[in-house]
Amino acid sequence: MKSETKLKFGRKVVSVEEARNLLYSYAEQLDTEAVPLFSAFGRRLAVPIYADHPVPHFRRSGVDGYAVRSEDIKHASADQPIRLNVIEMIPSGTVPQHTVYAGTASRIMTGAPVPDGADVVVMLEMTDSFQDKELYSSWVSIKKNIPEGSNITPIAGEIGLGDLLLAPGTRIGAGEAALLAAFGYAEISLYRKPKVAIFATGSELLQVEERLQPGRIRNSNSYMLAAQVEAAGGIPVLMPILSDDASQVRSAIEEAFHHADLVLTTGGVSVGDYDVLVDVFEQFNGHLLFNKVAMRPGTPTSAAWWRNKLLLALSGNPGAAFVGFELFAKPLIQKMLGSLTPEPKAISAYLDVDYNKSSAYPRYIRGTTLVQNGSLWVKPAGIDKSSIMISIKDADCLIYLPAGGQGFERGSLVIVYPIPNLRSQSQIF
Ligand code: AMP
Ligand code: MG
């Protein structure tokens, strides 16, 4: 058998998980860069962050009121209020000057340091204050016994000195941004964003600005993938359209490896006469990782380790390219960015349609989620054919249907992989 026929027809099928693990085993850990905190949202930390001070670092009042000794107000009641001499006013941002001794209190604001001697802060609402004009002094009367420690956050009450705050690989969201700011990280060390070169292959393809011509279509895949790369946290680099010419494709990809961390192609991985990536893989100095995945769409999705970089060759059909990106390229980009859990996250939802088509391979159907009576339901985003492009904009998840012939009834619980940030109309993701 000629090797060409072998690559086209004698392919060894791997599962989606096997294919992903193969890719992971070749994923390069990218170098790091220092980034201003304000530009770091959505990116991942390259280093662990430890607390170099406790929080709070002083005994902090949680309310507006009076810092007193619990001993002094032990017998306070509405009938027999306890009168204390107010010795100081402590606004937030200042440091108390006086110790609270027996019979005294200090007026204190939320967030201010509790003075020595005081072991409780009584809320303003539970007190009456008054001035003694003759003595030029002010007094507070307290009508309730409040237990020791009330309304005071002790030193390290929230975070201990040396605590691990954020592990490497953590994505910086609102809570992480708050922590980093609180600990003085004006700049942080992040993994560099991978540069992802995107090639479209196919002699039928026109540039987006070209007029339609008989028998030809505009290259839509590259723009779809660029949006997906950006949403995944990478830097998309749009490369020229390549015609179905193996030597042109080979040299263009080899050249791109000089600049890109990952190369994506669409088209030419199937068993047609002009499937150019197959011809490239016949004669190249790289290592073919897989060229057939147990999935639909995108069964001929292929990948290679070539010149110490990864090439992911997706199907040309827009639906298949979209799904292939979400299943393989996105986790890869997440891994390069330092994620420790890069896999698509599975949730479950009720199927909102009967689905009767059987399949020899698991299906990953572009789906639309909807909330009905407080539960998550899902339905195919449109006609479920890999050549269909119009429904991609309505997809906010992939519906996973295992291989087999029995079909699925409306109301079945199915596995769904959300695709956040891509569908502007999504109710949920
Ligand atoms: P292929 O995988 O090369 O056989 O392509 C499968 C189908 O996808 C064909 O109908 C192609 O015309 C179409 N296709 C391939 N590449 C693109 C692209 N970049 N944009 C839009 N459609 C494409
Ligand atoms: Mg083609």
Side-chain angles (χ1 to χ4, degrees), residues 200-201 204-205 217-222 266-270 275 315-318:
T201 73
E204 75 279 30
L205 299 175
I217 58 169
R218 294 191 187 97
N219 165 26
S220 56
N221 283 352
S222 295
T266 62
V269 286
S270 197
D275 280 322
S315 286
N317 278 310

Side-chain angles (χ1 to χ4, degrees), residues 16 70 141 149 193 210 293 389:
V16 166
S70 55
S141 106
K193 289 182 172 200
E210 284 185 279
V293 186
M389 176 179 50

Side-chain angles (χ1 to χ4, degrees), residues 92-387:
S92 4
T94 65
V95 177
Q97 302 298 314
H98 300 286
T99 300
V100 172
Y101 291 111
T104 67
S106 284
R107 176 81 176 87
I108 190 167
M109 310 301 154
T110 308
V114 176
D116 290 345
D119 59 7
V120 59
V121 178
V122 184
M123 283 168 80
L124 199 61
E125 294 86 325
M126 294 180 179
T127 66
D128 283 323
S129 65
F130 47 93
Q131 298 271 327
D132 188 324
K133 289 217 176 86
E134 311 245 303
L135 293 171
Y136 298 104
S137 64
S138 58
W139 297 82
V140 61
S141 106
I142 292 173
K143 292 172 284 187
K144 205 172 165 200
N145 167 28
I146 314 276
E148 182 185 337
S150 297
N151 302 320
I152 298 175
T153 307
I155 290 173
E158 184 179 335
I159 297 167
L161 173 67
D163 282 0
L164 175 66
L165 300 173
L166 302 167
T170 303
R171 195 168 171 276
I172 300 167
E176 290 77 8
L179 269 178
L180 289 163
F183 281 86
Y185 287 86
E187 259 191 5
I188 35 174
S189 176
L190 305 179
Y191 288 112
R192 180 169 67 73
K193 289 182 172 200
K195 285 197 200 102
V196 183
I198 303 168
F199 284 106
T201 73
S203 299
E204 75 279 30
L205 299 175
L206 296 167
Q207 317 258 23
V208 62
E209 55 277 342
E210 284 185 279
R211 288 169 72 94
L212 272 189
Q213 293 169 29
R216 302 187 66 184
I217 58 169
R218 294 191 187 97
N219 165 26
S220 56
N221 283 352
S222 295
Y223 292 88
M224 173 184 73
L225 292 174
Q228 288 176 285
V229 167
E230 213 168 274
I235 301 173
V237 184
L238 226 53
M239 305 303 285
I241 292 171
L242 303 174
S243 59
D244 292 321
D245 173 295
S247 64
Q248 187 208 1
V249 171
R250 184 181 300 114
S251 54
I253 294 175
E254 285 195 295
E255 172 63 25
F257 283 136
H258 290 304
H259 317 285
D261 301 299
L262 171 66
V263 172
L264 302 180
T265 61
T266 62
V269 286
S270 197
V271 294
D273 281 346
Y274 294 96
D275 280 322
V276 68
L277 262 297
V278 181
D279 295 339
V280 169
F281 293 145
E282 294 290 349
Q283 284 182 4
F284 81 137
N285 51 6
H287 171 49
L288 188 65
L289 301 180
F290 55 83
N291 59 3
K292 187 172 186 180
V293 186
M295 62 186 265
R296 223 169 238 155
T299 314
T301 302
S302 306
W305 177 245
W306 189 2
R307 294 195 174 265
N308 292 327
K309 297 275 171 67
L310 277 169
L311 164 67
L312 181 63
L314 300 166
S315 286
N317 278 310
F322 178 81
V323 170
F325 181 94
E326 292 299 319
L327 292 180
F328 301 114
K330 185 173 176 180
L332 206 50
I333 291 171
Q334 297 286 312
K335 188 150 172 76
M336 289 171 147
L337 286 168
S339 170
L340 301 177
T341 53
E343 291 75 32
K345 305 290 173 294
I347 59 173
S348 57
Y350 298 104
L351 195 60
D352 199 29
V353 292
D354 290 327
Y355 196 92
N356 297 320
K357 279 194 273 178
S358 65
S359 171
Y361 294 133
R363 281 183 195 278
Y364 293 85
I365 300 166
R366 284 149 283 157
T368 304
T369 55
L370 49 156
V371 173
Q372 293 176 153
N373 299 324
S375 296
L376 188 63
W377 290 73
V378 68
K379 62 181 183 190
I383 298 170
D384 180 40
K385 266 181 93 175
S386 65
S387 59

